[in-house]
Amino acid sequence: MVYFNIISIFPEIFSAIKNQGIISKAIKKGIIHLNIFNPRDYTHDKYRTIDDRPYGGGSGMLMKFEPLLNAIKQAKKIKNKVTKIIYLSPKGKPLNQKNIIKLAKINNFIIVCGRYKGIDDRLISHQIDEEWSIGDYVVTGGELPAMIFIDALSRLIPGVIGNQESIEEDSFYNGLLDAPQFTRPKNVLGMSVPKILLSGHHEKIKQWKIKKSLGITWLKRPDLLNKLTLTKKQTILLTEFKQEWFKTIKNKFI
Ligand code: 4FM
């Protein structure tokens, strides 16, 4: 069982994963638990204030320290040993599949979702264990990043995805992008399916997939390829892919 304890002033946003798809099934099965704590419920003034103006001026509002801290305190009461308090923001370390695999060993999270222009920095230094980013762009709050975090992590928990092997076939699992895939019918708008996939030769199909996977990574994300040391077999397959690729390019222009 993995607990995701979420601190958010917009709890309804999480219905997106609570009520649909694979994550909702995992919740129903009791494999994962989502608990949402609304900082507004932990205010003590008449207006239930959760935001305030920044010291030193500047545009926009910030989330106040105390309602967030009180919500976190409440979330900490949920049973379970290891708790990691996560904050998602553009200042965090960029998430990738490798980090996600490591994080999937933890069974209790508190995820703080920011809104407005940011949160009081003392909350980060006092409470946050790890700050992660979903990428170098800005969204309007931490809820969507939190759902991305929860989704990417949950699908690695045994029992969440029906076929666990499919995880090992994921893009990025071995640092490479997926080979292209096809389903019926055999022909659409004059486009056919690579013959090898219809051949039934399992070993040949496996080699084809590895070759395409290497080739597509080489074409689309050479940065990923540079991080890997290829095996002898992989090097041969990639060389073959490159030769075939340059041949098709030549045929196009000459
Ligand atoms: C975060 C808005 C905190 C307001 C955000 C607050 C983001 C990212 C992001 C927006 N999160 N990776 N990129 N958050 O843009 O993780 Cl208070």
Side-chain angles (χ1 to χ4, degrees):
M1 268 189 288
V2 181
Y3 288 79
F4 295 103
N5 304 299
I6 302 154
I7 314 295
S8 166
I9 60 165
F10 295 126
E12 292 85 6
I13 294 178
F14 292 89
S15 62
I17 52 172
K18 262 191 170 166
N19 303 335
Q20 273 121 194
I22 282 175
I23 306 300
S24 80
K25 284 195 186 130
I27 294 169
K28 283 181 195 118
K29 283 196 236 170
I31 304 171
I32 65 179
H33 291 260
L34 295 196
N35 298 306
I36 307 178
F37 301 84
N38 188 342
R40 213 178 272 286
D41 296 336
Y42 303 95
T43 52
H44 302 295
D45 65 310
K46 187 175 154 192
Y47 302 102
R48 311 219 293 162
T49 315
I50 39 141
D51 62 329
D52 209 338
R53 288 164 297 146
Y55 277 124
S59 66
M61 300 292 269
L62 300 180
M63 292 186 91
K64 289 167 73 64
F65 180 90
E66 278 192 306
L68 283 172
L69 179 70
N70 293 338
I72 291 171
K73 276 186 182 164
Q74 208 60 33
K76 280 182 179 169
K77 290 183 184 165
I78 299 286
K79 59 171 184 273
N80 245 318
K81 307 143 269 173
V82 194
T83 302
K84 269 249 150 75
I85 308 190
I86 306 281
Y87 183 55
L88 292 148
S89 100
K91 290 184 201 169
K93 191 175 151 89
L95 276 170
N96 60 34
Q97 192 65 17
K98 235 187 191 158
N99 315 137
I100 296 283
I101 289 169
K102 270 195 199 152
L103 286 159
K105 293 179 175 47
I106 298 166
N107 63 17
N108 196 28
F109 294 93
I110 295 175
I111 306 172
V112 178
C113 302
R115 278 274 153 178
Y116 313 120
K117 283 286 282 185
I119 68 181
D120 189 311
D121 210 73
R122 290 167 293 185
L123 191 97
I124 298 172
S125 48
H126 188 250
Q127 290 290 324
I128 302 298
D129 298 318
E130 295 183 9
E131 193 169 355
W132 292 101
S133 166
I134 58 161
D136 292 343
Y137 48 86
V138 181
V139 295
T140 56
E143 284 79 7
L144 287 169
M147 284 196 283
I148 288 170
F149 182 90
I150 293 166
D151 187 292
L153 236 116
S154 297
R155 60 188 291 289
L156 300 182
I157 301 166
V160 172
I161 287 186
N163 183 358
Q164 201 69 11
E165 291 150 42
S166 71
I167 287 173
E168 288 165 32
E169 290 168 13
D170 283 345
S171 280
F172 303 119
Y173 180 80
N174 51 7
L176 297 170
L177 302 176
D178 255 358
Q181 300 175 97
F182 306 88
T183 185
R184 293 188 292 177
K186 273 185 198 164
N187 289 291
V188 268
L189 301 178
M191 295 177 285
S192 57
V193 171
K195 270 205 190 75
I196 182 85
L197 297 179
L198 310 172
S199 72
H201 284 104
H202 298 300
E203 192 49 37
K204 275 190 191 166
I205 291 173
K206 205 171 136 197
Q207 297 300 308
W208 180 91
K209 284 185 181 172
I210 299 170
K211 190 199 276 193
K212 290 292 178 187
S213 168
L214 286 158
I216 280 155
T217 311
W218 169 67
L219 286 169
K220 298 193 175 187
R221 293 293 303 275
D223 57 310
L224 294 178
L225 213 50
N226 291 337
K227 286 190 212 159
L228 301 174
T229 359
L230 300 185
T231 64
K232 240 188 195 150
K233 184 77 205 172
Q234 285 177 320
T235 311
I236 294 167
L237 288 170
L238 180 57
T239 307
E240 281 176 20
F241 181 96
K242 289 179 184 176
Q243 285 167 349
E244 289 162 19
W245 177 254
F246 289 126
K247 226 176 4 191
T248 57
I249 291 204
K250 252 194 201 154
N251 289 343
K252 259 189 194 159
F253 291 102
I254 300 174

